[in-house]
Amino acid sequence: MIGTAGGGSNGLSDWKDSSSSHCSLSGVTCDEDGEVVSLDVSYQNLTGSLPPEIGILSSLVNLAVAGNGLTGTVPLDMANLTSLKLLNLSNNGFSGEFPGEIVRSMTQLEVLDVYNNNLTGQLPDGIAINLVNLKHLHLGGNYFSGEIPESYSEFPKLEYLALSGNSLSGQVPASLARLEKLRELYLGYFNTFSGGIPPEFGLLTELQVLDMASCNLTGELPASLGRLSNLCGCFLQMNHLTGNIPTEFSMLSDLSMLDLSLNNLTGGIPESFSQLKNMTLLNLFVNSLGGRIPKSMGDMPNLRLFQIWQNNFTSELPENLGRNGKLEVVDVSFNRLTGTVPENLCQGMKLKSLVLMNNLFSGPIPEQLGGCESLRRIRIQSNFLNGTIPAGIFNLPELTLVDMTQNEFSGELPKEMSGKKLGMLALSGNSITGRIPAATGNLQNLQILSLDRNRFNNQLPEEIFNLRSLSKINISGNNIDGGIPPEISNCTSLISLDFSRNNLSGEIPRGMDQLKDLNHLDLSENQLTGGVPSEMQYMSSLTSLNLSGNKLSGRVPNSGQLLMFDESSYAGNPDLCFSYNGTCSSQKAKANAIENTGHKTTTCFSTLKLVIIVLSLCYQLVQCW
Amino acid sequence: MAATAASALSLWSLFFAALALPAAFGNSEGDALYTLRRSLSDPDNVLQSWDPTLVNPCTWFHITCNQDNRVTRVDLGNSNLSGHLVPELGKLEHLQYLELYKNNLHGTIPAELGNLKNLISLDLYNNNITGTIPSSLGKLKSLVFLRINDNQLTGPIPRELGGVSSLKVVFEHNPRLEGPELLGLASYDTNCS
C-alpha cells in the first residue's frame, strides 16, 4: 500500500523488503491475530495519495500520516475504519471535501486532526451524535466554508475544538456553550463571522483558551466571560469590538494572557484589574481606551509584557511598575501619559524593550536603566524628559537602538562608550552640551548617529570616522568648531553626512571621493574656507550637495557629478566663482583654484607682499612726524 | 493533543499573534520589504534588524522613513546580497531612493517599479540583472538618476524614458543595450576637467 503512496524516507526502509511480515514493518503494530491495529507513518517525507485500500485495515485503532506531502482526496473508504480512536491527517496537502460520512461510523474516535491541508466545502456535519467519545477536533488551517453547524454543540466529551484559519462565515453559534467539557476553543484567523461573541460562552466553565482573533467580530465584550474561572488565554485581537472592558474580567483569576488589541474599545482599564495575579501578557494597543492606568497594576506580580500603545491613556504610570522583577516589554507610546518614568522598570534585569515615545513624560531617566543589561531597545522620543542621560546606557551589551530625540536632556555625554551592538544612537533636538566624545568611535556597530540640534561644542573627534558601519551622521545645528578631520574619507560606509549650521572652519578635506556611497552631503552654514576639491566631481553617488553659507573660494569644478547641482548648492559663498557664467577671471582662477598638486602658495605670497607694503608705508608716516 | 501547560500555550499563542500581526494589521510596506528579504540571500546578516513583527519598518536598519512612517529610502548598496528583486517593491509609494548597487542580484527589473511615483534615484549598477528595462519606468516623473550599468541587461532603453525631463541614465557595460533611443536621453560622463 505504501508502494502506492510512493516516496519515503529512511524511516521506512524496511518496507522495501517484501519478504518480511507486515507486522514487523516500521510504524506498523499488529494484535495477536496479526491484524494491523496501528499505522503511524508521520513525518516520513511520503508523497502521493491515500489509496482507498486503506479501508481494508478495518482493525485499525490508530492511523497517523501527519507531516508528509500527501495529496488527493481523503478516500470515502476510510469510513470502514470503524475501530479508529485516533485519525491524524494533519500537515499534508489533502484536497477536496471532507464530508461527515467519512467519520460518522467511527464511534470510538477520540482524536480527529486534519489541520493544515487544502480541504474545501462545508464542515463535516451530522457527526456529533455518533462521535460520543470525541475529545479533540482540529479542522483548522483548511479552506472550509459556510457556517459552523449548530450540531457541533452536541459532542458530549469534546475538550478541544479548532476551526481557525478557514473561510467560515455566519454567526458563531451560541449553542457551542453546551460543550461543557470544552477546554480550548479556536475560531479565529481568516474566518469572517457576522455578529459577535455569544454571551452564552460564559457558561464554558472548563475553558482555558479562547481564541477568536481576527475573524470580523463586532459588538461588545460580554461581561459573562468573567465567569470563566479557568480561563488562561483570551485572544480577541484584530476584530471590530466596541464598548468597555467589563469589570467582571477582573474575576478571571487564572488569566495569564489577555489580548484585546486592534479593536475599537473605549473606556478605561478596570481598577480591579490588579487582582489578575497571574497576568503575564496584557495587550490593549490600538484602541480608544483612556483614563488613568490603575496604580495597583504596578503590583501585578507576574506582568511581563505590557503593551497599551496608541490609546488615550492619561496621568502617570504606576510607580511600582517593574518591581515584580519580571517586566520584559513596556510599550505605552502614543498616549498622553504624564509624570516620571518609574524607577524600577528593570528590577529583574529582564527588560528588553522600553518604548515610551510620544507622551508627556517628564523628569530624568532613572539611573537603574543605566545598568539594565537586558535592554535592547530604548525609544523614548518626543517627551519632556530632562537631566543627564545615565552614562551606563552607552555601555549596555545588548542595546541596538536608542532614540531619545526631541526631549530636554542636558549635561554631557560620557567619556566612555562601549555598546558593541548599538546600531542607532539618536539624540537630536535636546540641550546636550560638551564635546562629542571620542569614545563614540568605540561603538563598533553604529550605523546611524544623530546628534543634531543640541549644544555640542569643541571639535569633531576623528575617532568617529573609524566606524566601518557608519552610514548616516548628522551633527547639524550645534556649536562644533575646528576643522573637518581628514579621517572622514576612511568612513567608507557613509551615505548621508550633515554637518550644517556649526562653526566648522578650515577646508573641505581632500579624498572625499573615497566615500563611494555618499548620497547626501550638507556642510552649509559653517565657516569653511578654501575651494571645492576637484575630486568631488568623481563622487558619482552624490545626489544632494549643500555647501551654501560658507567662505569657500575659487572656481567650482565644472564637470562630472558637480554638473548635477545648481547655484543653490553653493549660494552664500561670495568668493566662489563658476566657469559657466564667467564669474571667474583667469587670474583669480589661477590664484585660488586648488590644483591636484600643491597648495595655494601664490595666494600666500600675494598676501605677504601686501603686508610688507603696508608696513613700509606706516614706517614712512612715522618718520614724517 | 490538548495542551494545558501554560508555557506551551504561551509559545503557541504568541507565535500566532506575532505571525498574524503583520498580516491583518497590515503594514503593507513592511510586508513588501519582508518579501524582498525572503527572496535575498544575506550572508553578512545586513538584514538582521528587519523584524516583521514590528509595527512598521521604520526602525529597520538600512530603511529611512518620512514623518508619516512611509519608507523613503532603501540603502542596501554594497551589502553582499544575492537573490532577486520582487514586484512588491512597487508598493513603496513614497520611496525616493532605491539603492541596491554592487551586490550579486539576478533576475529581472520588475515592471512594478514603475509605480514608485516619488522615486528620485534607482541604483542597480554592478549586479547580474538580466532582461530588459521595463517601459513602465517612463512613469517615474521624479526620477533623476537611473544607474543600471554593469549588469546583463539587453534590449532597448525604452522610448518612454525620454518623457522624464531631468533623467540621467548610466547604462554602460550591459551586453546588448541598444543605441538609438539614447540620443538626447543620456548624458555621457566625459571626465574632462
Side-chain angles (χ1 to χ4, degrees):
Chain A
M1 184 200 74
I2 291 297
T4 317
S9 69
N10 288 334
L12 297 179
S13 51
D14 53 357
W15 286 54
K16 299 208 176 95
D17 180 6
S18 50
S19 63
S20 53
S21 145
H22 62 271
C23 289
S24 58
L25 296 175
S26 313
V28 178
T29 312
C30 295
D31 63 12
E32 55 270 11
D33 300 322
E35 305 272 352
V36 180
V37 292
S38 175
L39 178 59
D40 187 340
V41 290
S42 299
Y43 298 97
Q44 296 295 331
N45 279 339
L46 297 173
T47 55
S49 59
L50 261 186
E53 284 81 358
I54 190 92
I56 296 175
L57 303 172
S58 51
S59 304
L60 263 185
V61 173
N62 287 340
L63 175 58
V65 297
N68 287 294
L70 297 173
T71 53
T73 55
V74 180
L76 288 174
D77 299 66
M78 281 187 58
N80 282 345
L81 304 175
T82 52
S83 307
L84 267 186
K85 286 190 181 175
L86 182 146
L87 176 56
N88 188 350
L89 308 177
S90 64
N91 291 302
N92 279 291
F94 288 116
S95 57
E97 301 203 0
F98 191 84
E101 286 87 67
I102 296 182
V103 295
R104 212 167 274 161
S105 321
M106 299 176 184
T107 54
Q108 307 302 312
L109 202 59
E110 295 175 16
V111 174
L112 173 57
D113 190 343
V114 299
Y115 164 69
N116 195 16
N117 281 287
N118 294 329
L119 299 168
T120 55
Q122 307 266 328
L123 289 169
D125 202 353
I127 55 176
I129 299 190
N130 304 37
L131 300 183
V132 296
N133 292 301
L134 194 66
K135 289 189 188 169
H136 180 108
L137 177 57
H138 202 333
L139 302 168
N142 282 286
Y143 296 90
F144 289 116
S145 56
E147 304 195 1
I148 301 175
E150 288 277 350
S151 63
Y152 272 31
S153 57
E154 286 158 34
F155 292 103
K157 293 209 183 136
L158 200 62
E159 296 177 6
Y160 180 109
L161 175 60
L163 307 173
S164 41
N166 278 296
S167 305
L168 301 172
S169 56
Q171 298 229 357
V172 175
S175 54
L176 291 179
R178 296 214 289 263
L179 295 167
E180 293 178 346
K181 300 228 163 87
L182 200 63
R183 293 196 191 169
E184 294 178 59
L185 179 59
Y186 302 91
L187 300 176
Y189 301 106
F190 300 107
N191 294 318
T192 42
F193 298 116
S194 49
I197 306 164
E200 289 82 353
F201 277 16
L203 297 167
L204 292 166
T205 49
E206 294 300 310
L207 201 60
Q208 294 172 7
V209 178
L210 174 63
D211 189 335
M212 296 174 72
S214 188
C215 54
N216 202 40
L217 298 172
T218 52
E220 305 199 357
L221 292 164
S224 55
L225 294 183
R227 292 200 227 123
L228 299 174
S229 51
N230 287 308
L231 195 64
C232 175
C234 181
F235 303 96
L236 301 172
Q237 68 271 22
M238 289 186 278
N239 282 299
H240 307 288
L241 299 169
T242 53
N244 295 2
I245 302 173
T247 49
E248 288 84 350
F249 275 31
S250 309
M251 302 186 318
L252 295 166
S253 48
D254 266 15
L255 193 61
S256 172
M257 281 169 279
L258 177 61
D259 192 335
L260 304 175
S261 57
L262 294 146
N263 277 292
N264 292 318
L265 298 171
T266 50
I269 301 176
E271 223 20 81
S272 41
F273 248 39
S274 50
Q275 293 170 20
L276 296 167
K277 298 281 174 246
N278 282 315
M279 178 84 84
T280 58
L281 176 145
L282 180 59
N283 280 354
L284 301 175
F285 53 87
V286 190
N287 275 291
S288 302
L289 299 165
R292 82 177 288 143
I293 299 161
K295 195 165 154 143
S296 48
M297 286 189 67
D299 300 320
M300 288 168 80
N302 286 300
L303 194 61
R304 292 193 291 119
L305 299 114
F306 185 52
Q307 296 173 118
I308 61 168
W309 48 275
Q310 204 165 313
N311 276 291
N312 238 326
F313 288 112
T314 54
S315 212
E316 311 94 57
L317 281 178
E319 193 185 334
N320 291 346
L321 196 59
R323 290 212 175 126
N324 66 6
K326 296 189 182 170
L327 206 54
E328 292 175 28
V329 173
V330 174
D331 191 341
V332 299
S333 55
F334 289 98
N335 277 290
R336 288 188 285 147
L337 296 165
T338 56
T340 57
V341 178
E343 291 195 348
N344 299 107
L345 291 172
C346 192
Q347 184 81 359
M349 282 296 200
K350 299 221 171 95
L351 190 66
K352 291 192 282 203
S353 202
L354 176 63
V355 185
L356 309 175
M357 64 201 205
N358 289 77
N359 274 291
L360 306 165
F361 287 114
S362 57
I365 297 175
E367 277 302 316
Q368 190 196 60
L369 287 174
C372 184
E373 296 188 347
S374 48
L375 259 181
R376 295 186 188 181
R377 291 162 78 85
I378 300 177
R379 301 180 68 196
I380 56 177
Q381 64 267 31
S382 299
N383 276 292
F384 296 96
L385 298 165
N386 59 25
T388 307
I389 300 168
I393 287 199
F394 300 91
N395 297 331
L396 294 175
E398 296 298 324
L399 198 56
T400 60
L401 190 153
V402 170
D403 192 340
M404 303 185 175
T405 308
Q406 218 57 49
N407 273 289
E408 294 172 2
F409 290 115
S410 56
E412 302 191 6
L413 294 183
K415 297 207 175 20
E416 285 183 18
M417 295 186 178
S418 61
K420 269 197 281 299
K421 293 192 183 175
L422 195 57
M424 169 167 153
L425 177 57
L427 304 176
S428 327
N430 281 289
S431 302
I432 305 172
T433 57
R435 56 167 74 229
I436 298 174
T440 319
N442 295 340
L443 302 169
Q444 300 157 11
N445 271 308
L446 199 63
Q447 296 187 28
I448 301 172
L449 178 60
S450 302
L451 302 176
D452 46 292
R453 293 171 296 120
N454 275 287
R455 301 198 191 146
F456 288 108
N457 52 38
N458 258 290
Q459 304 196 7
L460 266 181
E462 77 251 20
E463 288 85 349
I464 289 187
F465 303 112
N466 294 336
L467 291 172
R468 282 281 148 266
S469 304
L470 192 66
S471 65
K472 183 170 166 182
I473 175 169
N474 186 346
I475 56 153
S476 65
N478 279 291
N479 292 322
I480 309 279
D481 56 41
I484 302 173
E487 285 81 358
I488 195 174
S489 54
N490 294 340
C491 198
T492 46
S493 291
L494 273 178
I495 291 176
S496 172
L497 188 158
D498 187 346
F499 291 172
S500 63
R501 291 173 300 118
N502 278 289
N503 280 324
L504 293 166
S505 56
E507 300 185 11
I508 300 174
R510 307 311 298 271
M512 295 287 282
D513 57 319
Q514 290 180 41
L515 302 175
K516 301 277 181 224
D517 295 344
L518 193 65
N519 229 231
H520 175 79
L521 175 59
D522 190 343
L523 303 175
S524 63
E525 304 302 322
N526 277 291
Q527 318 280 339
L528 296 170
T529 54
V532 177
S534 62
E535 63 270 20
M536 282 184 67
Q537 66 185 287
Y538 305 123
M539 293 175 72
S540 52
S541 55
L542 208 56
T543 54
S544 166
L545 174 66
N546 191 352
L547 302 176
S548 62
N550 275 291
K551 294 180 177 166
L552 298 170
S553 56
R555 182 174 70 90
V556 176
N558 186 31
S559 51
Q561 193 67 10
L562 295 177
L563 285 172
M564 300 300 309
F565 306 110
D566 62 24
E567 307 92 63
S568 60
S569 297
Y570 308 103
N573 286 289
D575 292 335
L576 267 185
C577 68
F578 302 88
S579 307
Y580 67 82
N581 61 9
T583 49
C584 297
S585 72
S586 53
Q587 281 166 310
K588 212 176 172 186
K590 275 196 201 141
N592 293 335
I594 294 187
E595 303 301 326
N596 277 332
T597 57
H599 306 284
K600 23 172 207 177
T601 47
T602 44
T603 314
C604 290
F605 191 61
S606 321
T607 317
L608 187 59
K609 268 205 273 191
L610 191 59
V611 167
I612 291 170
I613 290 167
V614 167
L615 280 177
S616 48
L617 273 176
C618 289
Y619 185 61
Q620 283 180 341
L621 280 169
V622 166
Q623 281 213 309
C624 290
W625 281 10
Chain B
M1 295 297 297
T4 52
S7 53
L9 166 66
S10 64
L11 274 174
W12 198 94
S13 307
L14 279 176
F15 171 70
F16 228 142
L19 267 190
L21 184 57
F25 178 37
N27 182 272
S28 59
E29 300 202 337
D31 292 346
L33 288 167
Y34 199 66
T35 307
L36 176 68
R37 180 182 184 185
R38 288 203 315 263
S39 77
L40 294 175
S41 162
D42 175 23
D44 293 350
N45 245 337
V46 164
L47 305 177
Q48 183 171 37
S49 62
W50 284 32
D51 178 354
T53 67
L54 294 173
V55 155
N56 56 50
C58 297
T59 60
W60 296 2
F61 292 136
H62 310 286
I63 296 295
T64 307
C65 290
N66 63 15
Q67 292 203 358
D68 298 321
N69 290 328
R70 308 302 292 271
V71 177
T72 55
R73 294 187 65 111
V74 175
D75 282 296
L76 289 173
N78 216 354
S79 298
N80 206 8
L81 297 168
S82 46
H84 58 91
L85 302 174
V86 295
E88 283 79 358
L89 283 172
K91 294 189 185 171
L92 303 171
E93 287 181 2
H94 297 257
L95 191 64
Q96 294 177 346
Y97 293 85
L98 182 55
E99 309 296 314
L100 295 167
Y101 56 85
K102 290 193 198 156
N103 284 293
N104 205 2
L105 300 174
H106 56 260
T108 59
I109 303 174
E112 287 80 0
L113 294 190
N115 295 337
L116 300 173
K117 47 190 198 292
N118 285 300
L119 200 64
I120 294 174
S121 168
L122 177 55
D123 283 331
L124 302 174
Y125 57 90
N126 285 91
N127 275 291
N128 247 324
I129 298 175
T130 54
T132 58
I133 303 168
S135 58
S136 57
L137 297 189
K139 295 194 289 183
L140 301 176
K141 296 306 176 201
S142 304
L143 196 64
V144 175
F145 297 97
L146 174 60
R147 292 182 278 223
I148 48 178
N149 49 295
D150 293 272
N151 277 291
Q152 300 290 324
L153 294 164
T154 57
I157 295 194
R159 207 168 279 285
E160 290 80 353
L161 282 178
V164 182
S165 48
S166 54
L167 184 59
K168 170 180 168 158
V169 183
V170 181
F171 59 88
E172 297 91 41
H173 308 135
N174 279 288
R176 291 195 297 280
L177 270 184
E178 284 144 25
E181 285 84 356
L182 296 176
L183 292 178
L185 180 66
S187 65
Y188 293 77
D189 266 340
T190 56
N191 272 357
C192 303
S193 51

